[in-house]
Amino acid sequence: MAALVLVASNGHKWAGWLFAVVILLGVFVTIGEVWASAPSWVRLGEPFEKLTTLDVTLDVIAAVLGVTAVFVYFTGDARTTIA
């Protein structure tokens, strides 16, 4: 992930798009892990073990930070998106 961010920050758009796809897949997996009664296609067909509250919290925070990073990358200057 760090290598993708580094390459994307040096102006390679393909790395930014690949980073966005990886984050999207991570969000999809997080939804499948957190949503207890999710359909099997969301859970990738596997019954996951029950997660602790800490695991769920950390997974959700990681997903939110990843989506935020993709948003900041594709919209430009971080100072203009936060203010």
Side-chain angles (χ1 to χ4, degrees):
M1 293 297 281
L4 277 178
V5 171
L6 180 64
V7 172
S9 70
N10 287 328
H12 297 280
K13 283 286 190 189
W14 64 267
W17 283 105
L18 184 58
F19 177 72
V21 168
V22 169
I23 293 298
L24 181 66
L25 291 174
V27 168
F28 185 76
V29 168
T30 299
I31 290 171
E33 289 177 343
V34 172
W35 185 12
S37 60
S40 63
W41 64 270
V42 174
R43 299 178 68 86
L44 304 175
E46 298 179 13
F48 293 109
E49 62 187 42
K50 186 159 176 65
L51 298 176
T52 65
T53 304
L54 179 63
D55 288 335
V56 170
T57 304
L58 292 176
D59 285 348
V60 169
I61 289 172
V64 168
L65 288 175
V67 169
T68 304
V70 169
F71 175 77
V72 169
Y73 174 75
F74 283 108
T75 57
D77 190 12
R79 289 176 288 156
T80 60
T81 59
I82 295 174

